[in-house]
Amino acid sequence: MTKKEKELEHDRQTLQMMSRVSKHAEVQQILDSQESKDSWQIAFYIMAFAAGCLCTTALMMALNILH
């Protein structure tokens, strides 16, 4: 290989590596956004469960007072 061919091969390999790094960063960003979305969803379900428990307890107390 001539010097020019070696340089072209090196540039091609460099571009391939940069492309892979870019794709990896995009995939990582997608995974991070899904992870944060999942954690918010879990927090929402916990809060909804706690609110349901409080409402049930309040209803039971109100019914006990009326009896």
Side-chain angles (χ1 to χ4, degrees):
M1 282 213 262
T2 65
K3 184 176 182 179
K4 185 71 172 173
E5 288 173 332
K6 286 181 182 179
E7 287 178 2
L8 287 173
E9 180 65 20
H10 181 264
D11 289 347
R12 186 182 67 78
Q13 289 177 353
T14 302
L15 288 173
Q16 279 182 341
M17 272 195 285
M18 289 172 61
S19 173
R20 288 184 191 129
V21 168
S22 176
K23 286 179 186 174
H24 176 74
E26 290 172 6
V27 169
Q28 192 64 42
Q29 186 178 13
I30 290 169
L31 290 176
D32 289 344
S33 69
Q34 286 180 346
E35 187 175 299
S36 65
K37 192 184 298 180
D38 289 344
S39 64
W40 278 110
Q41 212 169 20
I42 290 169
F44 174 77
Y45 288 136
I46 290 172
M47 290 185 337
F49 177 75
C53 290
L54 287 174
C55 288
T56 304
T57 304
L59 183 63
M60 288 174 54
M61 288 174 64
L63 289 175
N64 279 339
I65 291 172
L66 293 177
H67 251 141

